[in-house]
Amino acid sequence: MYQKSTKGWLKHLDFILLDVLCLQISYALAYLTRHGFSNPYANIVYRNLVVVLILIELVTAIFFESYKNILKRSLSKELAQLVKQICMIELLTTFYLFTVKDGALFSRTVLYLTGIYQLPISMGVRLLWKRYLKNSRANEGKRSLLLITTEDMAAALIDNIRNYNYKSFRLVGITLLDLDGCWPEDGLLMINGIPVVSDAVHVADWACNHWVDEVFFALDSDDTYPAEIIKDFEEMGVVVHTKLAEASYMSERGQIIERLGGYAVLTRSVSYVTSRQQIMKRSLDILGGLVGSLLTLLLAVFIGPMIWLKSPGPVFFAQERVGRNGRRFKMYKFRSMYPDAEKRKQELLAKNKVDGGLMFKLEEDPRIVGSRFDDAGNYHKGIGNRIRETSLDEFPQFFNVLKGDMSLVGTRPPTVEEYERYELHHRARLAAKPGITGLWQISGRSNITDFEEVVKLDMEYIQDWSFARDLKILFKTVQIVLRGEGSM
């Protein structure tokens, strides 16, 4: 799922908070200039205005778009916009004082000096913060971006992305479509500090085994865009950007026009979410993560000793999983298997119920803590089975939800071994953040042995996602767990 953009005031919340601080500092300095070294908050009129100024700052941010394109403004435009913002704050403050009839009790000198002081203070802070963001975002960011271009355009393209890296991209590599033959797999070939990771033939395979959130195709107008490669990335569920002039190479579903670096691009994704939807989903995750983490700590008091008595060792189990767009993370669980479970898995692969080996599921698993086969070959369940059947082993994943590695609802993250066997269309199920529960888990997952059916359900969830559907899945998950019909 791809988030197009956030609203101007929310996207630049850091600038708003800095301006609120600068305004309060300017207000205090103005008071001290007019009244000397006395407490500005002792007088109720001046104390009330402290809160009012914060509200006025938020009003100007939300309704007057004071921070629109703030990262792209020149020095002169920044100064002009700040002057307009300060004038608006002065007018709204005057209107407030007139409305509450406190104007006669408030010094006009303090009002004017607040604006005069705010101009250099806010201007200086904004310039310093923009310089910091530009430097910090040049090579690091939350979203990984793969560049696909030609050798003669590569250096300029990298510089452009770095200079206008307002979306906090992390450049993970560059693919040169005009490379002849192989490229140095050890990454020795670098362009402006970015490794050349592939040629046109191998780029899809490389992306399948690395964390790639988005890909940007940038070619000269005379060059032919690689339609097959674009199709491969769309099949993988990766967000694809191409120059606007090359729109014919992309499918029509889920397209938007936006800017990436200094370029106008057409962006294609399997699913889009608005900033409001993203905030709602993350807020639900944080709330659920907090409650779930507290319950996990309480459960550890009772479950921990039961696990340790049957199998001495750590209570919690961490396993490397593959998350959104190939990003790897440690997923936590209560340990329900013996410590050598991963080694013994190789011996049991032939009994895997899921066709193709892209997931592992075993009906009578001897690796589970407390389970055993008797002399007659009958399987007896243990404490580990009970923990898994009631989904108690999943509770530590609420820590992953709080960290942002996972969501309450999403697709189940594969192991590294499973992920390395994925075909292109399988990777599309990782276009969304993985979840503790999801659509296929509530669709009778114990009866699903065809991995293609799992992928189909996951893609249905991603493409038709809504906040209401997440709530419905959570509600049904609770019902299933309470009825003991299966684990999450």
Side-chain angles (χ1 to χ4, degrees):
M1 288 186 283
Y2 176 65
Q3 183 180 354
K4 176 182 176 183
S5 63
T6 53
K7 293 183 178 179
W9 66 272
L10 182 62
K11 181 168 60 176
H12 299 305
L13 185 59
D14 50 350
F15 282 98
I16 297 175
L17 295 176
L18 287 173
D19 273 354
V20 168
L21 178 61
C22 291
L23 179 56
Q24 294 296 325
I25 293 174
S26 302
Y27 179 58
L29 289 175
Y31 182 90
L32 294 176
T33 302
R34 174 63 179 83
H35 297 288
F37 289 93
S38 58
N39 184 6
Y41 309 112
N43 187 305
I44 189 171
V45 175
Y46 289 89
R47 186 168 64 246
N48 289 342
L49 194 60
V50 170
V51 178
V52 172
L53 286 175
I54 295 176
L55 297 177
I56 289 175
E57 184 73 54
L58 295 177
V59 168
T60 58
I62 298 173
F63 295 103
F64 298 100
E65 297 186 337
S66 302
Y67 301 90
K68 184 178 181 180
N69 296 324
I70 188 171
L71 290 170
K72 303 177 183 179
R73 294 177 192 160
S74 63
L75 183 62
S76 59
K77 288 184 178 180
E78 187 65 68
L79 180 60
Q81 183 61 42
L82 182 57
V83 170
K84 288 170 58 178
Q85 180 178 338
I86 291 174
C87 290
M88 184 61 64
I89 291 173
E90 293 279 308
L91 286 173
L92 291 175
T93 304
T94 302
F95 177 76
Y96 160 76
L97 292 172
F98 175 79
T99 302
V100 298
K101 300 180 181 180
D102 282 343
L105 304 175
F106 191 87
S107 170
R108 286 172 293 180
T109 302
V110 173
L111 179 62
Y112 299 146
L113 285 178
T114 298
I116 293 172
Y117 288 151
Q118 186 184 4
L119 183 61
I121 294 175
S122 290
M123 189 67 180
V125 169
R126 286 188 183 188
L127 293 178
L128 289 173
W129 187 245
K130 285 202 285 188
R131 176 177 294 182
Y132 166 77
L133 291 179
K134 182 177 180 180
N135 293 335
S136 63
R137 292 180 178 183
N139 296 306
E140 295 297 330
K142 295 181 179 179
R143 291 189 289 176
S144 58
L145 178 69
L146 173 65
L147 304 178
I148 299 181
T149 184
T150 56
E151 187 173 4
D152 60 337
M153 291 185 62
L157 177 63
I158 293 171
D159 289 341
N160 186 291
I161 297 297
R162 283 174 169 167
N163 291 333
Y164 300 94
N165 194 13
Y166 306 125
K167 292 189 175 183
S168 300
F169 285 121
R170 182 175 66 90
L171 299 180
V172 294
I174 189 164
T175 292
L176 299 180
L177 297 179
D178 52 352
L179 272 183
D180 293 326
C182 299
W183 72 100
E185 295 186 19
D186 55 6
L188 291 178
L189 179 56
M190 308 281 285
I191 300 178
N192 288 5
I194 303 300
V196 177
V197 297
S198 176
D199 58 5
V201 176
H202 303 87
V203 60
D205 291 334
W206 184 90
C208 271
N209 294 289
H210 293 81
W211 172 19
V212 178
D213 290 317
E214 304 178 29
V215 60
F216 180 30
F217 290 83
L219 301 177
D220 283 328
S221 57
D222 296 333
D223 293 328
T224 301
Y225 270 64
E228 285 300 319
I229 299 178
I230 292 176
K231 181 180 178 181
D232 286 342
F233 277 103
E234 289 186 352
E235 188 176 0
M236 283 189 280
V238 175
V239 176
V240 176
H241 306 281
T242 64
K243 283 186 178 179
L244 186 58
E246 308 303 328
S248 60
Y249 287 97
M250 301 178 70
S251 57
E252 296 182 357
R253 180 176 178 178
Q255 293 184 351
I256 60 171
I257 298 172
E258 58 178 352
R259 295 194 70 83
L260 192 156
Y263 305 97
V265 300
L266 187 71
T267 299
R268 164 74 167 90
S269 175
V270 293
S271 178
Y272 291 98
V273 294
T274 65
S275 58
R276 180 178 62 84
Q277 291 172 324
Q278 186 75 8
I279 291 171
M280 290 172 64
K281 184 173 178 64
R282 183 56 185 154
S283 298
L284 180 64
D285 285 344
I286 292 174
L287 178 61
L290 287 171
V291 174
S293 295
L294 290 175
L295 291 175
T296 301
L297 295 176
L298 292 175
L299 288 171
V301 176
F302 301 97
I303 294 177
M306 289 190 290
I307 295 174
W308 192 88
L309 287 173
K310 290 293 183 179
S311 173
V315 174
F316 295 99
F317 171 71
Q319 184 182 46
E320 188 174 39
R321 293 292 183 104
V322 181
R324 183 178 180 182
N325 294 324
R327 178 179 178 271
R328 300 188 181 189
F329 69 99
K330 293 290 186 180
M331 189 180 80
Y332 306 114
K333 284 189 173 186
F334 280 122
R335 184 171 62 87
S336 60
M337 292 190 173
Y338 291 106
D340 61 347
E342 287 300 310
K343 295 180 180 179
R344 295 170 63 186
K345 179 180 177 181
Q346 301 302 318
E347 305 169 4
L348 302 168
L349 289 177
K351 299 180 181 180
N352 187 11
K353 289 182 61 180
V354 180
D355 300 334
L358 293 172
M359 296 180 68
F360 186 78
K361 186 176 181 62
L362 193 61
E363 190 67 34
E364 296 178 344
D365 197 334
R367 302 172 303 157
I368 297 178
V369 172
S371 65
R372 63 182 179 84
F373 286 97
D374 60 23
D375 295 337
N378 298 315
Y379 182 77
H380 296 272
K381 295 181 178 181
I383 180 61
N385 299 92
R386 308 305 177 194
I387 293 174
R388 294 163 69 90
E389 290 170 357
T390 55
S391 297
L392 294 178
D393 64 318
E394 309 276 1
F395 269 79
Q397 291 169 40
F398 285 108
F399 294 125
N400 289 115
V401 173
L402 272 184
K403 288 174 60 182
D405 296 328
M406 296 178 64
S407 178
L408 293 177
V409 184
T411 61
R412 288 300 287 166
T415 64
V416 175
E417 181 184 3
E418 294 166 351
Y419 175 70
E420 290 175 347
R421 303 178 65 180
Y422 273 14
E423 298 178 12
L424 291 183
H425 70 283
H426 295 150
R427 195 184 187 281
R429 67 185 296 268
L430 301 178
K433 187 179 292 187
I436 297 178
T437 186
L439 183 60
W440 77 270
Q441 287 95 325
I442 65 170
S443 302
R445 79 172 192 177
S446 60
N447 299 320
I448 298 177
T449 58
D450 184 358
F451 184 68
E452 296 298 332
E453 183 66 20
V454 174
V455 174
K456 180 180 177 181
L457 288 170
D458 284 340
M459 291 309 300
E460 178 186 336
Y461 168 77
I462 293 172
Q463 293 173 346
D464 300 327
W465 178 86
S466 70
F467 185 74
R469 196 174 198 185
D470 269 8
L471 294 178
K472 183 178 179 181
I473 291 173
L474 285 172
F475 181 72
K476 192 166 183 179
T477 299
V478 173
Q479 286 184 315
I480 292 173
V481 172
L482 290 179
R483 290 199 299 262
E485 295 179 2
S487 62
M488 294 186 286

